[in-house]
Amino acid sequence: MKKVSSLSELGLGDDVSRAFFRPLQQAAPPSPTKRQIKISVIGTGNVGMAIAQTILTQDLADELALVDAKPDKLRGEMLDLQHAAAFLPRTKICASPDYAVTAASDLCIITAGARQIAGESRLDLVQRNLALFREIVPPLARYSPDALLLVVSNPVDVLTYIAWKLSGFPPNRVIGSGTNLDSSRFRFLLADHLEVNAQDVQAYMVGEHGDSSVALWSSISVGGVPVLSSLEKHQIAYEAEVLESIRKAVVGSAYEVIRLKGYTSWAIGYSVASLARSLLRDQHRIHPVSLLAKGFYGIPDDHEVFLSLPARLGRGGVLSVANVQLTDEESNRLRSSAHTLWEIQRQLGI
């Protein structure tokens, strides 16, 4: 029996709608100012589908396009989402291994990437992902020349730099998910300890998405109250080692999830959906995302590195970078992250 995804493929003509609906007389055409939002997700693994599912349930797109190199899995994922149409906002869902399906996207989210294998160096992993991105990014840029690119694949900072180079897009339109999720984990731990809502905690992880990320303790506040200065005012002792152990717990929380269930998916799905909302709805919210960081916080102008800084996001992508006051130690750690990434990028030859 032929596999179908629509009734038209079974021979039911498009004119059948006349039996159900009667057109209005002298009706005006649709407003030319109405804007349809299209999001494309590249890669339908656990992360890609968690992002797609969250985008659908939060009604962020009028059209969702899925791309993957495995056509059977891709079609299965598309059908599975389409079959939930009665429970979701009206969104057109399409899928194809051909990047033409992404044409005229407002936002392209890249989740595809090679996983690190045992004994493989970080540079070897980056080189394999570079080869993969050479197949992904140019067609996305060709079919959607005005889109925003959002890279989620790891190592996200270097791959965001690669996507920028391969796309030819201005840097403000190429963004990495960076430490947006790390910062959420950070806020959760603080909120859980203080018994407050995580939305009332302002706390950022910046720098490289990984083991060298930097916790900005000097700027953390809860309900508008600066944390460190409040501790000092009330003569509550704390040690730098304790703060560092909390930072390591944030970094290690992802590894814990992977150890327990094999992968992370739901939290990154919500994280990326929050970025999509801020970008496409022009909300001007502050997110710590991977962006071209040269010239900020003492990072040399000749270091074209992408790493996470608190940035104001809107329809134009990265609109500006927040001028957060860093301690000398935080600045030094941030520049150290930038130097590490720069050394890796210099060996890529792009």
Side-chain angles (χ1 to χ4, degrees):
M1 182 176 178
K2 180 183 177 183
K3 298 177 182 178
V4 296
S5 59
S6 68
L7 294 183
S8 61
E9 294 181 29
L10 290 172
L12 198 62
D14 293 336
D15 59 350
V16 74
S17 64
R18 289 202 297 267
F20 294 90
F21 304 102
R22 183 176 177 179
L24 295 175
Q25 294 183 356
Q26 298 179 334
S31 170
T33 60
K34 183 179 180 181
R35 181 168 181 80
Q36 299 288 306
I37 298 297
K38 180 174 180 178
I39 298 177
S40 292
V41 177
I42 317 305
T44 58
N46 295 317
V47 170
M49 292 314 299
I51 292 170
Q53 187 265 352
T54 311
I55 285 171
L56 286 174
T57 56
Q58 295 189 5
D59 196 14
L60 297 179
D62 300 291
E63 182 175 353
L64 177 66
L66 305 176
V67 178
D68 198 278
K70 299 177 180 178
D72 287 346
K73 182 181 189 303
L74 180 62
R75 180 176 173 81
E77 295 288 9
M78 178 191 72
L79 291 174
D80 209 4
L81 291 178
Q82 288 177 336
H83 295 167
F87 316 114
L88 293 170
R90 187 175 185 271
T91 303
K92 179 182 178 182
I93 304 170
C94 53
S96 174
D98 188 338
Y99 284 87
V101 76
T102 67
S105 292
D106 297 278
L107 175 65
C108 296
I109 303 172
I110 305 175
T111 72
R115 294 185 178 182
Q116 193 164 12
I117 57 180
E120 182 180 41
S121 72
R122 189 179 185 188
L123 182 58
D124 289 337
L125 174 63
V126 171
Q127 291 285 7
R128 286 200 294 128
N129 275 304
L130 171 57
L132 182 61
F133 268 47
R134 288 189 190 277
E135 300 175 4
I136 294 173
V137 176
L140 289 179
R142 184 170 67 254
Y143 284 113
S144 302
D146 299 319
L148 300 169
L149 288 183
L150 177 55
V151 179
V152 183
S153 314
N154 281 317
V156 67
D157 300 297
V158 177
L159 292 184
T160 306
Y161 165 81
I162 288 172
W164 172 52
K165 286 294 187 180
L166 294 176
S167 68
F169 283 5
N172 61 293
R173 284 171 42 205
V174 183
I175 305 161
S177 56
T179 57
N180 193 54
L181 178 52
D182 304 72
S183 298
S184 176
R185 291 170 174 141
F186 193 20
R187 292 167 66 187
F188 161 74
L189 286 177
L190 292 169
D192 187 56
H193 183 72
L194 298 173
E195 297 185 340
V196 299
N197 192 300
Q199 293 184 356
D200 293 320
V201 178
Q202 284 286 103
Y204 294 122
M205 302 282 285
V206 298
E208 180 188 13
H209 171 61
D211 295 343
S212 68
S213 59
V214 181
L216 297 186
W217 285 103
S218 60
S219 62
I220 294 176
S221 65
V222 177
V225 180
V227 169
L228 293 192
S229 61
S230 180
L231 293 178
E232 293 168 355
K233 180 180 179 180
H234 291 87
Q235 298 182 337
I236 299 175
Y238 65 91
E239 297 180 355
E241 290 78 8
V242 174
L243 303 185
E244 176 61 14
S245 67
I246 295 174
R247 187 199 70 84
K248 288 182 177 179
V250 173
V251 173
S253 60
Y255 297 119
E256 177 71 358
V257 174
I258 293 171
R259 183 185 70 81
L260 292 170
K261 62 177 276 189
Y263 56 89
T264 62
S265 58
W266 299 120
I268 189 63
Y270 282 104
S271 173
V272 173
S274 75
L275 296 177
R277 184 187 304 108
S278 293
L279 291 164
L280 297 178
R281 294 186 178 173
D282 202 30
Q283 291 190 330
H284 290 218
R285 289 190 61 192
I286 306 296
H287 293 270
V289 292
S290 191
L291 52 84
L292 184 60
K294 66 175 184 177
F296 292 107
Y297 298 105
I299 296 171
D301 287 332
D302 62 345
H303 282 29
E304 292 185 328
V305 295
F306 278 71
L307 50 74
S308 288
L309 297 173
R312 186 166 57 102
L313 302 184
R315 196 62 185 81
V318 175
L319 305 179
S320 59
V321 175
N323 189 24
V324 179
Q325 298 300 311
L326 308 184
T327 65
D328 290 342
E329 181 181 359
E330 289 167 349
S331 295
N332 290 335
R333 286 191 174 192
L334 189 61
R335 287 192 289 269
S336 178
S337 277
H339 180 73
T340 299
L341 292 168
W342 178 242
E343 288 301 317
I344 293 173
Q345 291 174 189
R346 289 176 63 185
Q347 302 177 62
L348 296 178
I350 61 170

